[in-house]
Amino acid sequence: MTKYYAAVDMGASSGRLILGHMENGRMELEEIHRFENGMVKKDGELCWEFDRIFKEIVAGLKKCKEIGKIPVSMGVDTWGVDFVLLDKDDKVLGNTVGYRDHRTEGMDEEVYKIIPFEELYARTGIQKADYNTIYQLMAVKEQQPGQLEWAKSMLMIVKKKHPEYLEQAEALLHVPDYFHFLLTGQKTCEYTEATTGQMVNAQTKDWDYEIIDKLGYPRRIFQKLIMPGTSVGHLTEELQKEDGFDVEVVAPATHDTGSAVLAVPANDDDFIYISSGTWSLMGIERKEADCSLRSMQANFTNEGGYEGRFRYIKNIMGLWIIQCVQKQLGISFAEMVELAKSSTYTRIFDVN
């Protein structure tokens, strides 16, 4: 009997559910369901539509049932750094803000007032990128209490009172961990995804609670880290009834580049890879992180990989510009390629 395995691979512009199975010693892949993704403006913030995306994941599982190819296990991978905060009732606090929102502007300087970047890099090995989880949390901490709103009935400006989200929060879940939670009801935090947030110690491969405590982030919200390949649980009873079957949810390398690098067809350490999507990542795999001053100055990053390895990489502007142009023009990527072929434009511009 053929065993099928489901992978939900989520990028910044689209997501898909793929079924894989082994046939004559080869892995055969079949796309079952594809759907659009992207940020939308909500209350002046760029946000992800996680409710809609989760419905698409469930729709993909239902299609597996329809075609009679029920997976024995499944997992979700996504982009890095973004997260949700859950309250004591497991409700999402605030908007599901994405990393391209402007809320983190200036938050790096707030963090560096407490912990210099040189110390952060020496401990975590993660490059400076002002959208990392560590700066997003500072934005939540600094900006949430009291946004100004206009009270028309009173013709005066009043302060809109919000309890601090960090005070209310009981759990921080990165995006793939949140989808695993919606599937199973289990709160976990997978290692490769967590490292992108700049709060995991490169030596211990666990949360760096000294950093967390110094910045005033509550320890309780950080879940125990799990490694790729760890079983998260089974579908909730509600989803089992809706889909018509049960499946074990197993955490992959939930940061999509971690999964991509795991698939690099190399049998030794003598290779360089380029993983290209919304971002392009070029680098190598290492057993130990390079947290040296020279590495910091070159802005290389040491992201977590399978079996506790490190993806030592350089972030390069990828296809995001192409995705934006495609969305604005309202044409397919194939049509864009044909237009490019016929173009007489000869100049080069620096995408960075």
Side-chain angles (χ1 to χ4, degrees):
M1 182 178 174
T2 303
K3 286 186 177 181
Y4 296 96
Y5 304 87
V8 178
D9 176 45
M10 205 100 64
S13 63
S14 67
R16 56 200 176 146
L17 188 147
I18 303 281
L19 276 185
H21 71 277
M22 298 303 294
E23 193 171 302
N24 300 321
R26 290 175 55 86
M27 183 186 294
E28 299 293 335
L29 302 177
E30 179 183 2
E31 183 177 298
I32 303 300
H33 185 54
R34 180 178 283 268
F35 50 92
E36 287 188 3
N37 190 23
M39 297 185 200
V40 297
K41 268 285 176 73
K42 183 180 179 183
D43 302 327
E45 295 178 309
L46 279 173
C47 302
W48 299 108
E49 300 177 288
F50 290 152
D51 291 343
R52 179 184 65 80
I53 292 171
F54 185 64
K55 288 177 182 176
E56 296 283 7
I57 293 174
V58 174
L61 290 173
K62 287 179 179 177
K63 285 185 180 179
C64 294
K65 171 75 171 178
E66 289 170 9
I67 63 175
K69 296 179 178 180
I70 296 175
V72 296
S73 69
M74 69 171 293
V76 179
D77 76 7
T78 76
W79 58 95
V81 308
D82 284 344
F83 61 92
V84 299
L85 294 173
L86 300 182
D87 66 12
K88 59 182 175 60
D89 298 316
D90 293 335
K91 303 298 183 190
V92 175
L93 291 161
N95 291 331
T96 50
V97 183
Y99 67 89
R100 291 195 188 273
D101 185 76
H102 290 289
R103 68 173 176 170
T104 55
E105 288 180 359
M107 292 301 109
D108 53 345
E109 295 306 318
E110 294 302 315
V111 168
Y112 302 153
K113 288 176 186 176
I114 302 167
I115 307 172
F117 176 63
E118 291 79 3
E119 181 183 344
L120 263 182
Y121 192 89
R123 299 176 77 102
T124 67
I126 298 298
Q127 68 175 1
K128 176 175 178 174
D130 61 7
Y131 46 72
N132 287 348
T133 313
I134 193 171
Y135 309 116
Q136 291 199 46
L137 280 173
M138 184 57 73
V140 173
K141 182 183 175 187
E142 292 291 309
Q143 297 169 3
Q144 275 314 320
Q147 299 170 347
L148 293 177
E149 73 171 13
W150 182 254
K152 291 180 181 177
S153 60
M154 299 175 65
L155 293 179
M156 63 183 289
I157 293 178
V158 297
K159 186 167 274 192
K160 185 178 180 183
K161 294 182 178 177
H162 285 293
E164 278 227 40
Y165 291 155
L166 281 181
E167 288 181 4
Q168 289 182 292
E170 292 295 326
L172 178 151
L173 299 181
H174 285 94
V175 177
D177 302 310
Y178 179 55
F179 287 126
H180 286 160
F181 166 70
L182 294 178
L183 288 164
T184 67
Q186 302 299 314
K187 300 186 187 82
T188 55
C189 195
E190 190 273 321
Y191 167 73
T192 67
E193 180 79 10
T195 61
T196 67
Q198 208 172 354
M199 290 177 287
V200 174
N201 189 288
Q203 276 68 51
T204 65
K205 299 176 184 176
D206 197 359
W207 295 113
D208 194 319
Y209 287 109
E210 190 172 334
I211 291 173
I212 288 165
D213 291 344
K214 280 184 176 181
L215 295 174
Y217 304 157
R219 281 194 181 205
R220 68 177 179 277
I221 68 175
F222 296 93
Q223 312 302 301
K224 184 178 185 297
L225 294 185
I226 62 172
M227 285 291 175
T230 303
S231 176
V232 176
H234 286 258
L235 295 186
T236 62
E237 289 185 12
E238 182 181 350
L239 280 176
Q240 288 182 40
K241 289 176 183 175
E242 186 175 351
D243 291 335
F245 65 92
D246 186 22
V247 63
E248 183 181 16
V249 177
V250 178
T254 61
H255 186 223
D256 50 10
T257 313
S259 279
V261 169
L262 181 57
V264 171
N267 296 320
D268 55 41
D269 293 330
D270 189 21
F271 66 92
I272 293 175
Y273 55 79
I274 299 177
S275 174
S276 193
T278 299
W279 290 93
S280 289
L281 302 312
M282 181 174 72
I284 61 173
E285 273 196 300
R286 299 173 59 104
K287 292 181 179 177
E288 304 294 334
D290 183 347
C291 302
S292 66
L293 181 63
R294 185 183 177 200
S295 180
M296 182 199 79
Q297 291 169 339
N299 209 31
F300 276 79
T301 195
N302 298 267
E303 294 178 352
Y306 184 68
E307 290 186 333
R309 297 196 292 267
F310 292 92
R311 291 171 283 127
Y312 189 57
I313 57 179
K314 184 75 170 176
N315 266 37
I316 306 162
M317 177 65 74
L319 300 177
W320 181 64
I321 291 175
I322 302 295
Q323 291 165 350
C324 289
V325 172
Q326 185 260 346
K327 191 172 183 180
Q328 288 176 13
L329 295 180
I331 60 177
S332 70
F333 289 119
E335 288 171 311
M336 286 183 70
V337 170
E338 291 308 311
L339 284 172
K341 284 179 180 177
S342 61
S343 172
T344 57
Y345 188 86
T346 57
R347 297 178 185 178
I348 294 172
F349 85 101
D350 185 347
V351 296
N352 289 316

